[in-house]
Amino acid sequence: MHLILYFNGTGNEWDSFSGGMDYVTNPDVKTIVVKGCRNKEVCNTQLFPNLPAFAKRFTTKLFKKNASQLTLASSDLSKLKIGIVKSDPDLDTNDPITGITLCGYSRGAVTCFNVAKELNTLAPNILVNIVANQPVPGNCYQGPGTNAASVADCSNLKNIRNVTVILGAYTGKTSKGEKDVIHRCFYSQIIPKLPSSNVKRDLIVIPKQHHDDPLPYVPSGTKHLHMQIANYLSKDNYVTPEAAQRKEGEAAASYGKPDNIIFPRAESLQSFFGLKRDEVYRHVDKLHPTGLLREGMGFNQSESLIEWWKKHDRSASRFSTQLTKDLAKQITTTNKNDQASLIALFNEADKWLILKDGSPSSRYYQVTAL
């Protein structure tokens, strides 16, 4: 059995997840949905919920370890009193669990990492996928005893296989365009430190100015979450490639009015635990119609490529490496109306990005936009 565990956000007492599960038809995949931390069976509060303590109680009550096998401790999940709001009716306590996908929204997304830590102790041989949709720990700082600190470092977990973190590019503004000071302080999202090897990591940044953004054209984090779950399960043949592709299409279609969506500048974003704001733009959602273009980086058809480059090069470092000089030279000889000339330039730009990956170059986004 492959088990999917979904953890709702703070105030969600209902199941807002299962409606998108139409891509799972394999009977070996089972689903359990857990209420938000405000529920009395979870943390019984929304102010200072103890997510690590709940994760420990949750895994202790839900699972049973027999030698190397992990199973469910009970088929009557309601009596466990751990906030389970919905589950598949045919759960079998004799069916060994071969893999687990942890997914959730907001503080539920943070809970995924807490549960992964508990599972790493209980059954490190069971591989875990994590899909965290806008993980907000609810802290304004990452100090000892906070929910942010509890998952800040997951680098020692040997059981993690795939991780996706879906971030909203929050500016902390309300739907009326006003700055929300509380939002900018307490709704910072977290990107935990993960093992350096054997973990497939994906970071998706969607244009969302507020955690509970009500605007109709804002892309759906939930649809992106289902897209990633479907992608992970399809690699293990639990979901068909066609179904996974369909979920990707649904995530792309959630961009209702692409002309109205512009990624905000890095300096206007809220801070992130574990990620510098200007690094966010390396991970913008590929499904966004203009996802790789920051505001102001568009190309005017009347200008030449070298004019475009020089215009944006003014804000970059004064000193160029030889790699950058070679790229600039290639731009001066590129004919924007000639396909072969453009391909040669793009190959040079690809080489630049590969060699500069992870460096603090002030031109990184400029070359990405190119």
Side-chain angles (χ1 to χ4, degrees):
M1 166 173 57
H2 185 96
L3 184 63
I4 298 177
L5 293 171
Y6 179 80
F7 299 93
N8 273 288
T10 299
N12 299 126
E13 307 297 317
W14 59 89
D15 168 23
S16 59
F17 168 74
S18 299
M21 289 288 292
D22 58 344
Y23 51 96
V24 176
T25 57
N26 191 314
D28 291 332
V29 178
K30 305 298 181 185
T31 304
I32 294 175
V33 179
V34 184
K35 297 178 182 180
C37 65
R38 188 173 65 182
N39 182 268
K40 64 180 181 180
E41 292 185 354
V42 183
C43 294
N44 199 30
T45 182
Q46 64 181 10
L47 294 178
F48 302 104
N50 191 334
L51 300 182
F54 169 69
K56 187 175 187 65
R57 178 163 56 88
F58 180 84
T59 53
T60 300
K61 289 193 172 187
L62 183 63
F63 298 109
K64 180 173 62 175
K65 182 76 177 295
N66 293 316
S68 61
Q69 285 193 344
L70 186 70
T71 62
L72 294 174
S74 173
S75 56
D76 185 4
L77 301 181
S78 61
K79 74 177 185 180
L80 300 178
K81 298 195 179 302
I82 49 177
I84 294 175
V85 64
K86 188 175 182 180
S87 62
D88 288 327
D90 55 347
L91 292 172
D92 186 353
T93 55
N94 294 316
D95 193 0
I97 298 169
T98 56
I100 297 175
T101 294
L102 303 171
C103 49
Y105 168 66
S106 193
R107 278 180 174 151
V110 177
T111 304
C112 293
F113 293 100
N114 288 124
V115 172
K117 295 175 82 168
E118 295 298 327
L119 287 170
N120 187 60
T121 301
L122 177 66
N125 59 309
I126 304 297
L127 293 179
V128 171
N129 303 321
I130 297 177
V131 184
N133 178 16
Q134 299 164 74
V136 170
N139 304 127
C140 61
Y141 66 97
Q142 187 179 301
T146 63
N147 286 317
S150 72
V151 298
D153 190 354
C154 293
S155 59
N156 65 332
L157 301 189
K158 306 299 183 184
N159 59 338
I160 297 181
R161 180 183 182 190
N162 301 292
V163 174
T164 292
V165 177
I166 302 166
L167 294 177
Y170 303 156
T171 59
K173 291 184 178 181
T174 65
S175 58
K176 296 179 181 179
E178 302 167 344
K179 280 191 177 182
D180 185 339
V181 177
I182 293 177
H183 189 283
R184 291 186 70 84
C185 183
F186 290 97
Y187 283 79
S188 294
Q189 300 157 93
I190 189 164
I191 303 92
K193 185 178 180 181
L194 299 169
S196 58
S197 59
N198 302 323
V199 178
K200 174 68 169 61
R201 288 170 281 192
D202 290 291
L203 190 59
I204 301 173
V205 182
I206 58 178
K208 221 181 156 189
Q209 64 183 12
H210 198 278
H211 191 57
D212 299 311
D213 207 327
L215 299 176
Y217 54 78
V218 169
S220 168
T222 299
K223 291 187 184 299
H224 282 75
L225 176 139
H226 282 298
M227 174 187 74
Q228 290 299 93
I229 296 173
N231 179 41
Y232 291 156
L233 294 184
S234 69
K235 293 176 181 178
D236 292 328
N237 299 315
Y238 289 120
V239 169
T240 66
E242 293 77 16
Q245 188 174 8
R246 176 169 56 82
K247 300 311 286 188
E248 181 176 335
E250 291 176 8
S254 70
Y255 287 90
K257 298 180 181 179
D259 292 340
N260 294 332
I261 304 174
I262 299 176
F263 278 97
R265 295 184 180 277
E267 58 267 21
S268 68
L269 295 180
Q270 290 185 195
S271 60
F272 298 92
F273 294 127
L275 186 70
K276 293 181 180 178
R277 286 179 293 189
D278 56 356
E279 292 176 344
V280 167
Y281 286 103
R282 300 189 186 191
H283 308 281
V284 292
D285 186 12
K286 296 177 182 178
L287 299 178
H288 188 293
T290 57
L292 295 179
L293 287 182
R294 192 187 303 177
E295 184 179 3
M297 297 296 285
F299 178 69
N300 188 333
Q301 291 297 321
S302 64
E303 64 184 343
S304 67
L305 286 173
I306 191 61
E307 287 172 338
W308 178 90
W309 175 264
K310 288 180 178 179
K311 178 174 66 178
H312 297 292
D313 204 37
R314 293 172 192 156
S315 60
S317 171
R318 249 189 242 184
F319 304 102
S320 300
T321 63
Q322 188 59 48
L323 194 64
T324 302
K325 290 178 181 177
D326 291 343
L327 178 61
K329 184 177 180 181
Q330 183 87 22
I331 293 173
T332 61
T333 60
T334 298
N335 180 356
K336 68 178 183 181
N337 298 312
D338 178 63
Q339 184 178 14
S341 183
L342 283 174
I343 290 174
L345 172 62
F346 293 156
N347 286 337
E348 191 70 23
D350 280 342
K351 182 176 77 172
W352 191 99
L353 290 169
I354 291 170
L355 294 175
K356 290 282 190 176
D357 187 44
S359 72
S361 174
S362 57
R363 290 185 178 84
Y364 195 94
Y365 189 82
Q366 184 179 345
V367 180
T368 303
L370 172 67

